Amino acid sequence: MITIEDNDRTGLTIDRSQANALLPIAGKAIRSLCSEHDGLLIFPQSIDETDDRIGDEHIFDIEWTANPDKAILKTGNIIGFISHGGQFVRICSRFDKQQDDYFLHYMLQRVFSFNLFDLKYTSTDEDVFNFLMFLFPVFLRRALRQGLYREYRRFEHNDFEVKGAVDIARHIKDNVPFKGTIAYNTREHSCDNAISELIRHTIEYMMTTRLGSDILNREETIGDVKLIRTITGTYNRAERQMLIQKNLRPKIHPYYTEYYPLQKLCIQILRHEDIKYGTDTDEIHGILFDGAWLWEEYINTLVKDLGFKHPENKKSTGGIYLFEGNSGKRYPDFYLEQKFVLDAKYKRYENLVMISKIDGNDLNQVISYMHVLSVSKGGFVCPLSQKEHVLPTATLKGVGGKISLYGIAIPPLADSFEIFSEMMSVQEDIFINSIQLDL
């Protein structure tokens, strides 16, 4: 396995054999990889609706060296796990100094609201599989909130009450000599379809593992599992591979947006054995996250209780207009009416001694939002190292207003994920207090 940090533009030296296995991934736009490989799950789902437009980015690049047996692997802003051709790559957050991705897992736990305390961190393909299973109940709950997925399906019947089109060929085959029943077909808007059957197969597969069974038998998940089992009356274990194939290129109704990531997750879980034993080496598998998006969603879990609004470009909610007549719609990361604008930045801003040294585009954006919203306080929140920092503040000329840098210190060392979580909780309280003092 290769382990490397995100945004590593110096690069990591790898062997030629490792580089050859990763060439189908290297240098390709994320948008293309996602459309070509069903085993690749990336967040956010709407890759073209983030500020960073990650659809055009590369997960990593490979550069060949003068030594024909060596190459350089360079990463972008994507973190997570990906594999191809038996070669597994773990991309860690550059702000995480742990050996076990505690910071990544902590943010995911906060954003997706699930408990990772039971997960062991040895960073193998088996642990990634465990991680996928932890995600399953979250994705299932989000999908079910949109209602049970329904689509039209053809059913075959052979009984006394004809309710559809008579199937002459099947009737002659099954009912001659005449038995009193009629063979006919119906087309029904059914909950029992390829999508729900795929979910059912995933549930039954997870139940065969100790961890999967523990996850699905938790109080908050039992009801969802029972519901899926109830509606999938035609479940047949022998049809698993057929169901996977049916779901590789699905036509999911646009209303059921949360079923698409659930479907891809199910396929990854069900294909785990193929990945593990190398029988699916031509496919690209992985679960990846845009670091900037994940950091922003994590910060939202902290500031929403302070009343901050978190506009969502994807849902076209909470935006503001730059001009009279409701034109020039924009989506600040966070704002508090008449008080505050806050921008989440997954960048190394901690060593800046002056606000004016912040990237010009970032700075101009916050100043514009402050002016339009008529607020006197703006700021940026970034990850910090554990050491003490004196974070800068500056006063704007003209109509005035102050801009400050805020941060959350990421613990450099912890003996367990539970201890890391406790340390993060302390740093979060420090961050919240700093925001409250400026309100």
Side-chain angles (χ1 to χ4, degrees):
M1 178 184 8
I2 298 171
T3 300
I4 187 172
E5 293 182 351
D6 70 326
N7 202 36
D8 186 343
R9 303 316 294 170
T10 300
L12 176 71
T13 300
I14 59 175
D15 295 334
R16 185 180 187 87
S17 59
Q18 294 174 313
N20 286 336
L22 299 175
L23 283 178
I25 306 172
K28 291 190 176 180
I30 291 174
R31 179 187 297 102
S32 298
L33 290 173
C34 287
S35 64
E36 296 169 4
H37 299 278
D38 299 285
L40 187 58
L41 184 61
I42 190 163
F43 290 88
Q45 300 163 39
S46 300
I47 57 178
D48 289 325
E49 293 181 2
T50 63
D51 292 339
D52 299 320
R53 300 292 181 185
I54 63 168
D56 297 323
E57 289 190 13
H58 303 164
I59 299 171
F60 49 69
D61 296 296
I62 290 177
E63 296 180 3
W64 295 103
T65 67
N67 183 343
D69 295 326
K70 299 292 181 181
I72 304 295
L73 184 69
K74 297 183 178 182
T75 56
N77 290 319
I78 304 300
I79 52 183
F81 319 93
I82 192 166
S83 66
H84 177 263
Q87 183 59 59
F88 189 83
V89 180
R90 178 169 66 108
I91 306 175
C92 309
S93 169
R94 59 187 180 273
F95 299 101
D96 193 352
K97 301 307 177 185
Q98 305 288 331
Q99 295 297 311
D100 299 309
D101 291 338
Y102 284 173
F103 181 43
L104 168 60
H105 293 144
Y106 182 80
M107 288 194 292
L108 292 173
Q109 177 176 270
R110 291 297 303 265
V111 171
F112 289 107
S113 301
F114 61 91
N115 192 336
L116 272 172
F117 286 139
D118 296 331
L119 185 60
K120 305 301 181 184
Y121 296 94
T122 55
S123 301
T124 65
D125 59 347
E126 197 67 29
D127 290 312
V128 175
F129 173 60
N130 293 344
F131 179 71
L132 295 176
M133 289 197 295
F134 270 105
L135 283 176
F136 178 78
V138 181
F139 284 32
L140 178 59
R141 174 57 57 87
R142 289 185 170 191
L144 290 177
R145 283 175 181 165
Q146 292 186 325
L148 291 172
Y149 184 81
R150 297 173 183 270
E151 63 181 26
Y152 282 102
R153 181 180 175 187
R154 181 176 176 270
F155 289 91
E156 293 183 349
H157 306 271
N158 190 9
D159 54 40
F160 299 98
E161 300 179 3
V162 179
K163 298 178 181 179
V166 175
D167 188 332
I168 301 297
R170 189 161 55 87
H171 179 70
I172 295 174
K173 176 183 176 183
D174 296 342
N175 297 323
V176 175
F178 185 61
K179 298 186 299 184
T181 58
I182 304 295
Y184 64 97
N185 303 322
T186 60
R187 188 169 181 265
E188 303 173 19
H189 204 218
S190 174
C191 296
D192 193 358
N193 49 60
I195 300 294
S196 57
E197 287 286 343
L198 181 74
I199 300 170
R200 172 70 182 275
H201 279 273
T202 305
I203 289 172
E204 301 306 331
Y205 177 57
M206 286 178 59
M207 282 295 188
T208 65
T209 71
R210 181 176 178 179
L211 180 60
S213 178
D214 289 344
I215 291 171
L216 295 179
N217 282 309
R218 290 177 178 176
E219 183 178 355
E220 63 272 20
T221 308
I222 289 176
D224 295 339
V225 170
K226 183 178 180 180
L227 178 60
I228 295 298
R229 281 175 163 168
T230 299
I231 66 172
T232 50
T234 60
Y235 168 76
N236 184 342
R237 168 63 181 85
E239 296 178 348
R240 182 163 298 170
Q241 291 304 318
M242 180 190 70
L243 260 298
I244 292 174
Q245 292 300 317
K246 277 188 177 181
N247 279 275
L248 292 180
R249 286 291 182 266
K251 295 181 180 179
I252 296 181
H253 191 282
Y255 172 79
Y256 296 101
T257 55
E258 296 294 346
Y259 276 85
Y260 182 64
L262 173 61
Q263 178 196 48
K264 297 195 76 172
L265 182 68
C266 288
I267 291 173
Q268 287 204 48
I269 292 173
L270 292 174
R271 280 183 160 183
H272 168 66
E273 296 300 314
D274 292 336
I275 301 169
K276 181 178 179 180
Y277 295 110
T279 59
D280 199 13
T281 55
D282 290 336
E283 266 297 310
I284 294 173
H285 300 273
I287 180 165
L288 300 165
F289 305 88
D290 174 20
W293 171 83
L294 188 58
W295 174 251
E296 180 181 325
E297 295 305 308
Y298 163 62
I299 295 301
N300 182 49
T301 67
L302 303 178
V303 301
K304 62 182 180 182
D305 290 338
L306 299 179
F308 277 86
K309 294 182 179 180
H310 179 39
E312 295 185 71
N313 190 355
K314 177 183 176 182
K315 297 180 181 178
S316 298
T317 60
I320 65 173
Y321 294 100
L322 301 182
F323 303 99
E324 297 290 344
N326 292 339
S327 64
K329 196 170 188 179
R330 297 292 184 273
Y331 297 87
D333 286 351
F334 310 98
Y335 69 94
L336 192 59
E337 295 281 3
Q338 301 179 344
K339 290 185 178 181
F340 218 118
V341 172
L342 189 62
D343 201 24
K345 288 300 173 190
Y346 184 71
K347 295 181 178 181
R348 292 191 182 279
Y349 276 161
E350 63 182 6
N351 294 320
L352 296 180
V353 295
M354 298 177 66
I355 293 295
S356 60
K357 298 298 182 181
I358 289 175
D359 178 86
N361 291 330
D362 295 342
L363 199 55
N364 292 340
Q365 188 177 61
V366 166
I367 293 173
S368 298
Y369 292 155
M370 290 174 63
H371 176 75
V372 170
L373 292 169
S374 299
V375 301
S376 60
K377 188 65 182 179
F380 302 89
V381 54
C382 64
L384 305 174
S385 63
Q386 184 67 8
K387 63 183 180 181
E388 295 293 329
H389 288 278
V390 178
L391 301 176
T393 295
T395 302
L396 288 165
K397 297 183 69 174
V399 297
K402 289 186 176 182
I403 298 180
S404 301
L405 189 62
Y406 303 91
I408 298 175
I410 312 304
L413 295 172
D415 293 333
S416 69
F417 182 69
E418 187 171 5
I419 293 175
F420 180 86
S421 299
E422 293 171 355
M423 297 169 72
M424 282 294 295
S425 181
V426 172
Q427 298 303 322
E428 290 167 354
D429 289 341
I430 294 173
F431 163 67
I432 293 299
N433 290 336
S434 67
I435 295 292
Q436 289 177 321
L437 287 174
D438 286 338
L439 290 179

